[in-house]
Amino acid sequence: MSIYRNFLVTALFGGFAFFAVGPAQADLLPHRVVYTLDLGTSGTLTGGNGLMTFEIKDVCDGWAMDLKAEIALAGEDGEIHRLGWSQVSWESKDGKRYRYFTRELSDKDETSRRRGEARRETADGAAEVVADLPQQAEFTLPAGTLFPVQHTLALIKGDAAGEAYVLANLFDGSIGNEAVQVGAALGPGALDWTPPGKSFPDLKGVRSFPAALAFYMSGSPEGVPDTEQGMRLYSNGVVGSLTFSLGDLKVHAIMDELTPLKPESC
């Protein structure tokens, strides 16, 4: 998922692969999932909690996604600050088009807004993006850039093929007008992984695997990632658990609700 709000511990399992995903689709499960967000303690923050929802719908020729999250942070003085973000996007199943709209909030004041659309001739070709927020802009994504669902499929296919590392350029529109290089170390998969929270009948017997993702945005000459993220990904596209950084805080997202959704009639 982009959840891909740039969620997303570098681990060395060996091996290397780069995927350019074509029209073929895995059996992704349209679903709505609710995560509780647990935060630790760091610096002047004494901790906090939050909620995140993610929804992916099968809308005939594409995937419609809706992500919303809000976190309440408690300071040493007892004052509560709220951070929120949301992203609504649509990605064509043939990998040729992608639309996005993102917002970020701080104490209910909007601090950022991004919107644009990418188009290309082939699923792995260069893409032309036209954005109108935060300002008018046109730019090109290099050939091989993956959109969020394409990237999820690349990880699932990598696990199925026994690959240990997947390197790709990812664009979801939430950061800036360029793709982000993402290295994903894939761990051993299993059919009956026990989640940290509740168990869900719809995931029984579904293969899942750990993925450690490193995001490179600033081009550090030392090769140090700008941010890292760990998750447990099921072969149907459901993210079972997620750990990501928010400044100095580690945020643990634990699945609390899972609702399969029926595809729309075409």
Short mmCIF file of all heavy atoms in Angstrom, two decimals, residues 19 26-28 149-162 166 186 207 209 233-238:
data_model
loop_
_atom_site.label_atom_id
_atom_site.label_comp_id
_atom_site.label_asym_id
_atom_site.label_seq_id
_atom_site.Cartn_x
_atom_site.Cartn_y
_atom_site.Cartn_z
N PHE A 19 12.32 -5.04 -10.72
CA PHE A 19 11.10 -5.45 -11.40
C PHE A 19 10.50 -4.29 -12.17
O PHE A 19 10.37 -3.19 -11.66
CB PHE A 19 10.05 -5.94 -10.39
CG PHE A 19 10.39 -7.26 -9.77
CD1 PHE A 19 11.27 -7.34 -8.70
CD2 PHE A 19 9.84 -8.42 -10.27
CE1 PHE A 19 11.57 -8.57 -8.14
CE2 PHE A 19 10.14 -9.64 -9.71
CZ PHE A 19 11.00 -9.72 -8.65
N ALA A 26 -1.62 -9.79 -9.61
CA ALA A 26 -1.80 -10.82 -8.61
C ALA A 26 -3.24 -10.76 -8.12
O ALA A 26 -4.00 -9.87 -8.48
CB ALA A 26 -0.83 -10.59 -7.45
N ASP A 27 -3.64 -11.74 -7.31
CA ASP A 27 -5.01 -11.75 -6.79
C ASP A 27 -5.08 -10.84 -5.57
O ASP A 27 -5.11 -11.29 -4.43
CB ASP A 27 -5.42 -13.17 -6.44
CG ASP A 27 -5.55 -14.06 -7.66
OD1 ASP A 27 -5.95 -13.54 -8.71
OD2 ASP A 27 -5.23 -15.25 -7.56
N LEU A 28 -5.11 -9.54 -5.84
CA LEU A 28 -5.20 -8.58 -4.75
C LEU A 28 -6.61 -8.60 -4.17
O LEU A 28 -7.59 -8.73 -4.90
CB LEU A 28 -4.86 -7.18 -5.24
CG LEU A 28 -3.43 -6.97 -5.77
CD1 LEU A 28 -3.23 -5.51 -6.15
CD2 LEU A 28 -2.40 -7.42 -4.75
N VAL A 149 0.49 0.41 -6.49
CA VAL A 149 0.03 -0.97 -6.63
C VAL A 149 1.07 -1.79 -7.38
O VAL A 149 1.33 -2.95 -7.04
CB VAL A 149 -1.33 -1.02 -7.36
CG1 VAL A 149 -1.73 -2.47 -7.65
CG2 VAL A 149 -2.41 -0.36 -6.49
N GLN A 150 1.71 -1.20 -8.39
CA GLN A 150 2.78 -1.89 -9.10
C GLN A 150 3.90 -2.30 -8.14
O GLN A 150 4.45 -3.40 -8.25
CB GLN A 150 3.36 -1.00 -10.19
CG GLN A 150 2.51 -0.85 -11.43
CD GLN A 150 3.22 -0.03 -12.48
OE1 GLN A 150 3.71 1.06 -12.21
NE2 GLN A 150 3.29 -0.56 -13.69
N HIS A 151 4.22 -1.42 -7.21
CA HIS A 151 5.30 -1.73 -6.26
C HIS A 151 4.89 -2.86 -5.32
O HIS A 151 5.67 -3.76 -5.02
CB HIS A 151 5.68 -0.48 -5.47
CG HIS A 151 6.89 -0.67 -4.62
ND1 HIS A 151 6.84 -0.75 -3.25
CD2 HIS A 151 8.21 -0.84 -4.95
CE1 HIS A 151 8.05 -0.93 -2.76
NE2 HIS A 151 8.91 -0.99 -3.78
N THR A 152 3.64 -2.83 -4.86
CA THR A 152 3.14 -3.92 -4.02
C THR A 152 3.23 -5.25 -4.77
O THR A 152 3.67 -6.27 -4.23
CB THR A 152 1.69 -3.66 -3.59
OG1 THR A 152 1.65 -2.47 -2.79
CG2 THR A 152 1.14 -4.82 -2.78
N LEU A 153 2.83 -5.24 -6.04
CA LEU A 153 2.90 -6.45 -6.86
C LEU A 153 4.35 -6.91 -7.05
O LEU A 153 4.63 -8.11 -7.07
CB LEU A 153 2.25 -6.20 -8.22
CG LEU A 153 0.73 -6.01 -8.20
CD1 LEU A 153 0.23 -5.58 -9.57
CD2 LEU A 153 0.03 -7.29 -7.77
N ALA A 154 5.27 -5.96 -7.19
CA ALA A 154 6.68 -6.32 -7.35
C ALA A 154 7.20 -7.05 -6.13
O ALA A 154 7.96 -8.02 -6.24
CB ALA A 154 7.51 -5.07 -7.63
N LEU A 155 6.80 -6.60 -4.94
CA LEU A 155 7.23 -7.27 -3.71
C LEU A 155 6.62 -8.67 -3.62
O LEU A 155 7.30 -9.64 -3.26
CB LEU A 155 6.83 -6.45 -2.49
CG LEU A 155 7.43 -5.04 -2.38
CD1 LEU A 155 6.98 -4.38 -1.08
CD2 LEU A 155 8.94 -5.08 -2.46
N ILE A 156 5.34 -8.79 -3.95
CA ILE A 156 4.67 -10.10 -3.90
C ILE A 156 5.30 -11.06 -4.90
O ILE A 156 5.56 -12.23 -4.59
CB ILE A 156 3.16 -9.93 -4.16
CG1 ILE A 156 2.51 -9.14 -3.01
CG2 ILE A 156 2.48 -11.28 -4.33
CD1 ILE A 156 1.09 -8.72 -3.28
N LYS A 157 5.58 -10.58 -6.11
CA LYS A 157 6.21 -11.43 -7.12
C LYS A 157 7.63 -11.80 -6.72
O LYS A 157 8.10 -12.90 -6.99
CB LYS A 157 6.19 -10.72 -8.47
CG LYS A 157 4.80 -10.62 -9.07
CD LYS A 157 4.84 -9.95 -10.43
CE LYS A 157 3.45 -9.89 -11.04
NZ LYS A 157 3.46 -9.28 -12.40
N GLY A 158 8.32 -10.85 -6.07
CA GLY A 158 9.67 -11.14 -5.61
C GLY A 158 9.68 -12.26 -4.58
O GLY A 158 10.51 -13.16 -4.62
N ASP A 159 8.73 -12.21 -3.65
CA ASP A 159 8.63 -13.27 -2.65
C ASP A 159 8.30 -14.61 -3.31
O ASP A 159 8.90 -15.64 -2.99
CB ASP A 159 7.56 -12.91 -1.62
CG ASP A 159 7.23 -14.06 -0.70
OD1 ASP A 159 8.09 -14.46 0.12
OD2 ASP A 159 6.09 -14.59 -0.81
N ALA A 160 7.35 -14.61 -4.24
CA ALA A 160 6.95 -15.84 -4.91
C ALA A 160 8.10 -16.46 -5.69
O ALA A 160 8.18 -17.68 -5.81
CB ALA A 160 5.76 -15.56 -5.83
N ALA A 161 8.99 -15.61 -6.21
CA ALA A 161 10.13 -16.09 -7.00
C ALA A 161 11.34 -16.43 -6.15
O ALA A 161 12.37 -16.85 -6.68
CB ALA A 161 10.51 -15.04 -8.05
N GLY A 162 11.24 -16.22 -4.84
CA GLY A 162 12.35 -16.53 -3.95
C GLY A 162 13.43 -15.48 -3.94
O GLY A 162 14.55 -15.72 -3.49
N VAL A 166 14.51 -6.47 -3.62
CA VAL A 166 13.84 -5.81 -4.74
C VAL A 166 14.20 -4.33 -4.70
O VAL A 166 13.97 -3.66 -3.69
CB VAL A 166 12.30 -5.99 -4.66
CG1 VAL A 166 11.61 -5.18 -5.75
CG2 VAL A 166 11.92 -7.45 -4.75
N LEU A 186 13.55 -8.84 1.52
CA LEU A 186 12.43 -9.73 1.78
C LEU A 186 12.87 -10.91 2.63
O LEU A 186 13.86 -11.58 2.31
CB LEU A 186 11.84 -10.25 0.46
CG LEU A 186 11.51 -9.20 -0.61
CD1 LEU A 186 10.89 -9.87 -1.81
CD2 LEU A 186 10.61 -8.10 -0.06
N ARG A 207 -0.33 -16.72 2.37
CA ARG A 207 1.10 -16.53 2.57
C ARG A 207 1.41 -15.06 2.90
O ARG A 207 0.80 -14.15 2.32
CB ARG A 207 1.87 -16.94 1.32
CG ARG A 207 3.39 -16.78 1.43
CD ARG A 207 4.09 -17.21 0.15
NE ARG A 207 5.51 -16.95 0.18
CZ ARG A 207 6.41 -17.76 0.72
NH1 ARG A 207 6.02 -18.90 1.28
NH2 ARG A 207 7.70 -17.45 0.70
N PHE A 209 4.94 -12.40 4.25
CA PHE A 209 6.39 -12.33 4.40
C PHE A 209 6.79 -10.96 4.93
O PHE A 209 6.09 -9.96 4.72
CB PHE A 209 7.08 -12.59 3.05
CG PHE A 209 6.70 -11.62 1.96
CD1 PHE A 209 7.47 -10.49 1.70
CD2 PHE A 209 5.56 -11.84 1.20
CE1 PHE A 209 7.10 -9.60 0.70
CE2 PHE A 209 5.19 -10.95 0.19
CZ PHE A 209 5.97 -9.84 -0.06
N LEU A 233 3.69 -8.28 4.73
CA LEU A 233 2.82 -8.17 3.56
C LEU A 233 2.26 -9.53 3.19
O LEU A 233 3.01 -10.50 3.04
CB LEU A 233 3.60 -7.57 2.39
CG LEU A 233 2.83 -7.38 1.08
CD1 LEU A 233 1.68 -6.40 1.26
CD2 LEU A 233 3.79 -6.89 -0.02
N TYR A 234 0.95 -9.60 3.03
CA TYR A 234 0.31 -10.83 2.56
C TYR A 234 0.32 -10.86 1.03
O TYR A 234 0.36 -9.81 0.37
CB TYR A 234 -1.14 -10.91 3.06
CG TYR A 234 -1.26 -11.26 4.52
CD1 TYR A 234 -1.26 -10.28 5.51
CD2 TYR A 234 -1.39 -12.60 4.92
CE1 TYR A 234 -1.38 -10.61 6.85
CE2 TYR A 234 -1.52 -12.93 6.27
CZ TYR A 234 -1.51 -11.94 7.21
OH TYR A 234 -1.62 -12.27 8.55
N SER A 235 0.22 -12.06 0.47
CA SER A 235 0.27 -12.20 -0.99
C SER A 235 -0.98 -11.66 -1.67
O SER A 235 -1.02 -11.56 -2.90
CB SER A 235 0.46 -13.68 -1.37
OG SER A 235 -0.61 -14.47 -0.87
N ASN A 236 -2.01 -11.31 -0.90
CA ASN A 236 -3.20 -10.67 -1.47
C ASN A 236 -3.16 -9.15 -1.31
O ASN A 236 -4.17 -8.48 -1.57
CB ASN A 236 -4.48 -11.25 -0.86
CG ASN A 236 -4.54 -11.06 0.66
OD1 ASN A 236 -3.70 -10.39 1.25
ND2 ASN A 236 -5.54 -11.67 1.28
N GLY A 237 -2.03 -8.60 -0.87
CA GLY A 237 -1.86 -7.16 -0.77
C GLY A 237 -2.20 -6.54 0.56
O GLY A 237 -2.01 -5.34 0.76
N VAL A 238 -2.70 -7.32 1.52
CA VAL A 238 -3.01 -6.79 2.85
C VAL A 238 -1.72 -6.62 3.65
O VAL A 238 -0.88 -7.52 3.68
CB VAL A 238 -3.97 -7.72 3.61
CG1 VAL A 238 -4.19 -7.23 5.05
CG2 VAL A 238 -5.31 -7.82 2.87
#
